[in-house]
């Protein structure tokens, strides 16, 4: 069985301050983990992925995430928030490659 | 490069009507999936396919049918629409792989369906 828990449904940060979006996962096998972003009324865009290689993964737009097996976590970070980062973020777990399991999402608000 | 194309973008149905949501991809991806997105629930897997002629159920398959006669197309059929099927539907595709070769899904732009 696989699942993800996104620990915060809403996060607000000021522009220029760090972003932390938290994700814990549960998986019976070695998982692949992903972060997707969804801007209002848009589709989903892949930010970054972890697939059993380096545990610190860098993605697009300055985002990165660290896979921590001992903590079963895959938190998403960015050093300095930009207004364009305001969106919904989804953490995703997969083991087979054809079935993805989504978290319930974290809505990020960036305050000018 | 079109990627994953979904049609229509918006649809209003009456309870009991049937319809097909279309999905096509031009990337020669083996895997395709349908998800529904509801507020506060993330995306939930309806049906998926690992190749032409092969489909399987996801988390929430009831009320939906799929088929995969070609690599490119993966239509989703609503048999008898119900208000509980009001949602945003996303189609996605991916190259075959798992483990280190898990490529991640490419998503279409979605279909917003309202059942009245």
């Amino acid at each position: 069985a696989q699942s993800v828990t996104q620990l915060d449904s809403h996060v607000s940060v000021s522009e220029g301050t760090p972003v932390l979006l938290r994700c814990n996962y549960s998986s019976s096998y070695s998982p692949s983990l992903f972060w997707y972003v969804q801007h209002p009324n848009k589709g989903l865009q892949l930010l970054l992925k972890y697939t059993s290689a380096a545990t610190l993964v860098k993605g697009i737009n300055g985002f990165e995430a660290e896979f921590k097996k001992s903590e079963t976590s895959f938190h998403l970070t960015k050093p300095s928030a930009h207004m364009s980062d305001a969106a919904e973020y989804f953490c995703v777990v997969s083991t087979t490659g054809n079935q993805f399991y989504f978290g319930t999402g974290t809505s990020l608000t960036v305050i000018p | 490069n079109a990627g994953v194309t979904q049609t229509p973008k918006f649809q209003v149905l009456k309870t009991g009507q049937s319809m097909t949501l279309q999905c096509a991809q031009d990337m020669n991806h083996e895997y395709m999936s349908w998800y529904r997105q509801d507020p506060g629930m993330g995306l939930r897997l309806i049906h998926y396919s690992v190749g032409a002629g092969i489909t399987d159920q996801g988390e929430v398959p009831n009320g939906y049918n799929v088929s995969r006669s070609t690599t490119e197309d993966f239509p989703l059929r609503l048999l008898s629409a119900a208000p509980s099927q009001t949602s945003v539907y996303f189609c996605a595709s991916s190259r075959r792989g798992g483990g280190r070769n898990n490529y991640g899904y490419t998503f279409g732009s979605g279909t917003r369906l309202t059942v009245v």
Side-chain angles (χ1 to χ4, degrees):
Chain A
Q2 310 164 70
S3 65
V4 292
T5 300
Q6 292 185 243
L7 299 169
D8 306 293
S9 58
H10 300 278
V11 170
S12 291
V13 300
S14 296
E15 190 175 17
T17 65
V19 175
L20 170 64
L21 305 183
R22 298 182 295 164
C23 173
N24 285 353
Y25 71 91
S26 172
S27 177
S28 302
Y29 303 97
S30 296
S32 296
L33 293 157
F34 304 80
W35 277 98
Y36 280 82
V37 61
Q38 183 181 33
H39 288 93
N41 300 311
K42 299 289 187 183
L44 286 90
Q45 180 184 19
L46 180 64
L47 273 180
L48 49 80
K49 64 179 180 180
Y50 164 78
T51 57
S52 305
T55 57
L56 182 61
V57 181
K58 294 187 183 297
I60 61 172
N61 300 333
F63 285 95
E64 63 180 39
E66 186 172 8
F67 174 73
K68 292 186 176 181
K69 186 175 181 179
S70 61
E71 299 176 9
T72 61
S73 69
F74 190 58
H75 301 334
L76 181 70
T77 61
K78 183 174 181 178
S80 176
H82 191 274
M83 293 300 294
S84 61
D85 295 329
E88 189 89 12
Y89 292 80
F90 293 97
C91 183
V92 181
V93 64
S94 173
T95 55
T96 61
N98 54 53
Q99 297 179 61
F100 274 25
Y101 294 89
F102 281 73
T104 53
T106 298
S107 177
L108 176 65
T109 299
V110 182
I111 303 166
Chain B
N1 188 2
V4 180
T5 302
Q6 292 184 236
T7 56
K9 293 190 182 301
F10 301 94
Q11 182 70 48
V12 178
L13 287 178
K14 294 182 179 179
T15 298
Q17 287 185 317
S18 62
M19 78 159 295
T20 299
L21 307 185
Q22 301 291 344
C23 176
Q25 53 93 6
D26 62 356
M27 298 171 284
N28 203 33
H29 285 172
E30 293 89 348
Y31 296 165
M32 295 187 75
S33 294
W34 276 101
Y35 292 84
R36 60 176 289 172
Q37 183 177 25
D38 302 292
M41 302 186 75
L43 278 76
R44 292 179 293 168
L45 181 63
I46 303 172
H47 286 283
Y48 67 98
S49 169
V50 297
I54 305 169
T55 64
D56 208 345
Q57 297 181 352
E59 302 171 79
V60 288
N62 293 340
Y64 308 95
N65 273 357
V66 293
S67 59
R68 184 101 179 267
S69 56
T70 67
T71 298
E72 295 77 19
D73 300 301
F74 191 43
L76 177 71
R77 297 181 186 85
L78 279 70
L79 308 173
S80 177
S84 61
Q85 294 179 304
T86 294
S87 187
V88 181
Y89 291 84
F90 287 98
C91 180
S93 73
S94 174
R95 291 172 59 184
R96 179 190 305 276
R100 286 181 176 266
N101 297 317
N102 194 330
Y103 297 100
Y105 272 98
T106 299
F107 284 82
S109 58
T111 295
R112 187 173 297 272
L113 176 68
T114 302
V115 182
V116 298

